[in-house]
Amino acid sequence: MTIRTGADLDGEQLSGLDFSGARAGDVRMLECTVTDCRMDEAKVTGIHVVDSSWVRVAASGLAATHSSWRDSEIQIGRASCRERV
């Protein structure tokens, strides 16, 4: 599975995937679970995350400007985020 611009993810269970280097804007995640995934150097500008859980996600250099997170959680995450790319 890949994340692409404008994707609507509803109730998806994403596990063990590598999204490193992904370029996607305006992704919407509703009630999703992201577990044991990598997102190194991913650029997800304008991502909207609602009622979702990210567990053990490694995201070195994640760029998520203009993003919004509501009623969501990140557990045991390892990330370094930046505002500009």
Side-chain angles (χ1 to χ4, degrees):
M1 170 178 238
T2 61
I3 295 177
R4 39 181 199 276
T5 297
D8 280 315
L9 304 174
D10 190 352
E12 298 287 333
Q13 303 290 318
L14 308 174
S15 181
L17 301 173
D18 188 349
F19 298 112
S20 295
R23 300 290 182 259
D26 298 317
V27 174
R28 289 168 294 286
M29 299 182 86
L30 174 64
E31 297 179 353
C32 292
T33 302
V34 180
T35 307
D36 296 318
C37 291
R38 295 202 67 82
M39 299 185 87
D40 297 326
E41 299 299 324
K43 183 177 181 182
V44 288
T45 303
I47 190 171
H48 302 284
V49 183
V50 179
D51 294 324
S52 296
S53 177
W54 289 27
V55 181
R56 293 181 304 276
V57 174
S60 176
L62 175 67
T65 57
H66 307 291
S67 63
S68 65
W69 294 71
R70 189 178 78 210
D71 299 324
S72 297
E73 62 184 353
I74 298 173
Q75 297 178 18
I76 316 169
R78 185 173 189 120
S80 75
C81 298
R82 58 185 165 179
E83 288 298 313
R84 299 186 205 310
V85 175

